[in-house]
């Protein structure tokens, strides 16, 4: 049985992005949101494509999002919505799979991207160290329910930013970026929900540090195993 694996985060200064990072857009083609998203993807690809093609496996990418001071840091601007569709498009462009993908957000005038070879590290631990399994399609409510029902004993982390790492074990037929949003939406017991929010509207804007990891298990079939590590920012276990 293949176990979840955690990888080291790139810790060097990345390339400065020349266009503002853009959230995923589901608007019609040619809309301002789609144009911004396409420009962001193109900028990242221009910054890292050459290095990503020649860097040995396992491959890691880190995106640091700089937000204006007047933009609330812990509301909206969900980090997974910057990484998708960026990572699928970047993967297709460079012909390589990432083993580990990271994103942070801070109040800053600079946004950057870095790519490097990574390596496995010890389990980071955290206020929550959970492991869940699901077999449903990530496009279904059943996927979210299966995860939610395995973490019902959790209570929302105290107010402030959250560092979250998710380590996936998937079969070769799964596309792991398709699992990110549905998984995070299922973590309302940990992230909390605003008063009156719907079931899957977790406060994922609180995530200021996000690490996503993946290993392939040829025997996994449709089963997905996810190790969940979460804590308030500043209380992470040492990397």
């Amino acid at each position: 049985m293949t176990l979840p694996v955690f990888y080291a985060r790139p810790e060097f200064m990345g390339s400065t992005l020349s266009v503002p990072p853009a959230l995923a857009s589901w608007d019609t083609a040619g809309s301002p949101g789609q144009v911004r998203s396409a420009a962001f993807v193109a900028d990242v690809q221009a910054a890292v494509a050459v290095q990503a093609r020649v860097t040995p496996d396992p491959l890691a990418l880190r995106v640091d999002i700089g937000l204006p001071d007047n933009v609330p840091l812990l509301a909206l601007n969900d980090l997974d919505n910057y990484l998708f569709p960026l990572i699928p498009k970047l993967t297709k462009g460079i012909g390589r799979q990432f083993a580990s993908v990271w994103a942070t957000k801070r109040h800053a005038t600079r946004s950057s991207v870095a790519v490097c070879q990574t390596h496995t590290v010890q389990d980071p631990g955290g206020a929550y160290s959970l492991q869940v399994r699901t077999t449903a399609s990530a496009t279904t409510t059943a996927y979210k329910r299966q995860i939610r029902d395995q973490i019902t004993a959790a209570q929302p982390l105290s107010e402030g930013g959250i560092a979250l790492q998710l380590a996936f074990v998937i079969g070769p037929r799964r596309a792991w970026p398709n699992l990110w949003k549905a998984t995070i939406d299922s973590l309302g017991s940990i992230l909390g929900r605003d008063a009156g929010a719907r079931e899957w509207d977790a406060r994922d804007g609180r995530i200021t540090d996000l690490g996503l990891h993946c290993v392939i298990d040829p025997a996994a079939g449709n089963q997905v195993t996810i190790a969940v590590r979460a804590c308030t920012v500043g209380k992470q276990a040492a990397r």
Side-chain angles (χ1 to χ4, degrees):
M1 177 181 177
T2 302
L3 298 176
V5 172
F6 295 89
Y7 291 98
R9 183 173 75 172
E11 294 293 355
F12 60 91
M13 185 71 70
S15 300
T16 299
L17 295 175
S18 59
V19 302
L23 294 162
S25 172
W26 290 271
D27 297 336
T28 57
S31 66
Q34 288 284 355
V35 171
R36 287 192 296 269
S37 179
F40 172 48
V41 172
D43 195 33
V44 171
Q45 186 154 339
V48 303
V50 172
Q51 184 178 356
R53 290 190 182 101
V54 299
T55 299
D57 287 327
L59 193 62
L61 180 130
R62 171 176 173 173
V63 181
D64 293 309
I65 308 297
L67 296 174
D69 289 342
N70 63 348
V71 173
L73 189 62
L74 305 182
L76 305 178
N77 295 299
D78 303 345
L79 289 175
D80 60 295
N81 287 338
Y82 287 103
L83 295 177
F84 189 96
L86 170 64
I87 298 304
K89 291 183 177 180
L90 187 58
T91 296
K92 182 179 180 180
I94 65 174
R96 298 281 304 281
Q97 295 287 338
F98 292 96
S100 182
V101 176
W102 296 80
T104 73
K105 60 177 178 178
R106 300 288 189 271
H107 286 134
T109 57
R110 177 181 182 270
S111 296
S112 63
V113 60
V115 65
C116 69
Q117 184 181 31
T118 187
H119 57 86
T120 59
V121 294
Q122 289 184 333
D123 189 320
Y128 283 114
S129 295
L130 306 170
Q131 188 159 302
V132 299
R133 291 184 174 86
T134 177
T135 55
S137 167
T139 62
T140 66
T141 302
Y143 179 94
K144 298 176 183 179
R145 286 175 177 161
Q146 287 180 356
I147 295 174
R148 177 203 62 190
D149 291 348
Q150 295 172 74
I151 62 169
T152 54
Q155 295 294 318
L157 289 165
S158 57
E159 285 301 310
I162 289 175
L164 176 68
Q165 292 193 51
L166 301 174
F168 295 83
V169 179
I170 62 172
R173 292 178 294 178
R174 293 270 194 175
W176 74 300
N178 294 341
L179 308 178
W180 299 343
K181 181 172 177 56
T183 301
I184 294 172
D185 286 348
S186 308
L187 302 180
S189 296
I190 295 172
L191 304 176
R193 299 183 191 87
D194 290 324
R198 293 176 295 179
E199 172 71 18
W200 311 118
D201 287 343
R203 294 180 60 197
D204 40 357
R206 296 181 63 194
I207 303 168
T208 58
D209 297 76
L210 178 63
L212 303 165
H213 317 279
C214 184
V215 292
I216 307 296
D217 179 358
N222 290 326
Q223 179 172 280
V224 177
T225 302
I226 311 165
V228 181
R229 305 292 184 263
C231 63
T232 53
V233 171
K235 297 183 180 179
Q236 301 101 307
R239 291 184 181 88

